[in-house]
């Protein structure tokens, strides 16, 4: 290989690496912007609801807030399908993505109003560090972690099916009450409830981290192929943002169980 070919090869590698880093920066930048929108909406709605309590009273304000939560949950469900459909039809998902982050912010407002700030701060910090660590692992190992993603998806399905089974037992056989009364009679009810919640939330966190690692691996492979369209970056950001929210919620639940148990 002569000097000119070597120079071209170096330039091509530099261009490919620059394009890859630009795509990754776009993805995480869009995801961070969506998270910022959700945070602002959550805090703002919390302040508005606190004001409405003083003006309208607890009952009326609670009804209004409950309907806003139900409406946002329905909207999130619908927009999920809209984003997937528009992405596959090569239409911009910017507007539905913004609406999605706003609706998530409405849902998160309940955490802002009823959970201590130090727990929320710890949850945000832990979640961000976990995502940074997962990205570094994917970045330097250059793997897709597809098997890990399948493991996480299978674990989620298993937990979901178990929840349905126990829900049916509790509904038709009073299984939950029998178990809890049995623990209560032996003085172990609080201990049992604590470990049940902690165990379920821990399994869900492991499942979501596994799926997130797979998603980050897929996005890294997309960036290596040189696909750098704005809509693709937005869709990948939507995936990362959704994973972040799910992991954040699980960590908040675990921290609540841990700190409430200490109290």
């Amino acid at each position: 290989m002569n000097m000119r070919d070597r120079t071209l090869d170096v330039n091509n590698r530099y261009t490919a690496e620059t394009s890859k880093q630009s795509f990754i920066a776009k993805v995480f930048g869009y995801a961070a912007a969506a998270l910022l929108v959700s945070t602002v909406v959550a805090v703002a709605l919390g302040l508005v609801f606190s004001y409405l309590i003083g003006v309208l009273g607890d009952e009326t304000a609670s009804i209004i807030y409950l309907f806003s939560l139900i409406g946002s949950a329905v909207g999130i469900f619908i927009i999920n399908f809209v984003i997937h459909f528009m992405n596959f039809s090569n239409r911009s998902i910017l507007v539905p993505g913004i609406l999605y982050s706003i609706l998530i912010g409405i849902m998160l407002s309940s955490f802002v109003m009823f959970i201590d700030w130090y727990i929320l701060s710890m949850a945000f910090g832990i979640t961000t560090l976990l995502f940074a660590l997962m990205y570094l692992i994917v970045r330097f190992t250059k793997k897709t972690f597809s098997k890990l993603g399948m493991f996480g998806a299978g674990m989620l399905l298993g937990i979901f099916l178990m929840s349905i089974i126990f829900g049916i037992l509790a509904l038709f056989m009073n299984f939950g009450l029998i178990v809890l009364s049995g623990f209560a009679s032996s003085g172990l009810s609080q201990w049992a409830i604590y470990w049940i919640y902690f165990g379920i939330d821990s399994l869900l966190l492991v499942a979501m981290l596994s799926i997130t690692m797979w998603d980050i691996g897929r996005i890294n492979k997309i960036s290596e192929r040189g696909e750098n369209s704005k809509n693709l970056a937005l869709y990948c950001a939507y995936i990362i943002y959704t994973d972040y929210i799910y992991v954040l919620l699980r960590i908040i639940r675990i921290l609540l169980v841990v700190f409430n148990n200490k109290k």
Side-chain angles (χ1 to χ4, degrees):
M1 180 181 294
N2 56 38
M3 182 62 67
R4 181 181 178 182
D5 291 336
R6 289 180 180 177
T7 302
L8 289 174
D9 182 60
V10 171
N11 289 336
N12 289 335
R13 290 182 181 180
Y14 176 78
T15 301
E17 184 65 24
T18 302
S19 177
K20 174 183 176 180
Q21 294 304 321
S22 174
F23 181 80
I24 293 295
K26 285 181 181 179
V27 170
F28 282 91
Y30 290 144
L35 184 61
L36 178 62
V37 170
S38 298
T39 303
V40 171
V41 171
V43 174
L45 187 59
L47 295 175
V48 170
F49 180 68
S50 299
Y51 172 76
L52 289 177
I53 290 177
V55 175
L56 302 177
D58 290 346
E59 184 175 353
T60 303
S62 297
I63 292 174
I64 294 174
Y65 184 64
L66 177 61
F67 276 102
S68 68
L69 290 179
I70 295 174
S72 61
V74 174
I76 288 171
F77 181 77
I78 294 174
I79 290 180
N80 264 311
F81 286 98
V82 172
I83 289 176
H84 287 289
F85 174 78
M86 292 182 67
N87 178 67
F88 289 126
S89 61
N90 294 322
R91 299 171 62 184
S92 176
I93 61 171
L94 178 60
V95 174
I98 294 174
L99 292 176
Y100 183 80
S101 61
I102 291 173
L103 293 175
I104 290 291
I106 295 174
M107 297 296 294
L108 291 178
S109 62
S110 59
F111 291 89
V112 173
M113 289 187 292
F114 303 117
I115 298 178
D116 293 329
W117 283 96
Y118 73 92
I119 292 181
L120 294 177
S121 300
M122 288 177 61
F124 269 102
I126 293 172
T127 305
T128 302
L129 287 175
L130 284 173
F131 268 69
L133 179 61
M134 286 187 290
Y135 171 72
L136 290 175
I137 292 174
V138 171
R139 175 72 174 81
F140 290 105
T141 59
K142 298 181 178 180
K143 295 181 178 180
T144 59
F145 293 95
S146 57
K147 293 182 179 180
L148 194 61
M150 294 175 63
F151 166 76
M155 182 180 290
L156 279 180
L157 180 60
I159 295 172
F160 177 71
L161 293 176
M162 287 179 61
S163 300
I164 292 177
I165 293 173
F166 281 110
I168 293 174
L169 289 173
L171 181 63
F172 293 103
M173 302 175 60
N174 292 323
F175 179 76
L177 294 176
I178 295 173
V179 172
L180 291 180
S181 63
F183 280 129
S185 63
S186 60
L188 297 176
S189 59
Q190 292 183 352
W191 177 88
I193 293 172
Y194 165 76
W195 282 109
I196 289 172
Y197 276 113
F198 187 82
I200 292 175
D201 285 328
S202 298
L203 289 175
L204 287 171
L205 177 60
V206 171
M208 283 310 307
L209 289 176
S210 301
I211 294 174
T212 300
M213 185 79 83
W214 179 39
D215 287 336
I216 294 175
R218 288 192 299 159
I219 293 171
N220 191 59
K221 287 298 180 182
I222 290 173
S223 68
E224 290 179 349
R225 292 199 298 265
E227 302 178 37
N228 200 15
S229 69
K230 180 181 178 180
N231 206 53
L232 181 60
L234 284 170
Y235 185 73
C236 291
Y238 157 76
I239 294 173
I240 292 297
Y241 168 79
T242 303
D243 289 342
Y244 187 97
I245 294 298
Y246 285 155
V247 172
L248 175 66
L249 294 180
R250 297 271 65 83
I251 291 178
I252 290 175
R253 285 286 300 260
I254 291 174
L255 290 178
L256 284 175
V257 172
V258 170
F259 281 97
N260 286 339
N261 183 67
K262 288 183 178 180
K263 292 178 183 180

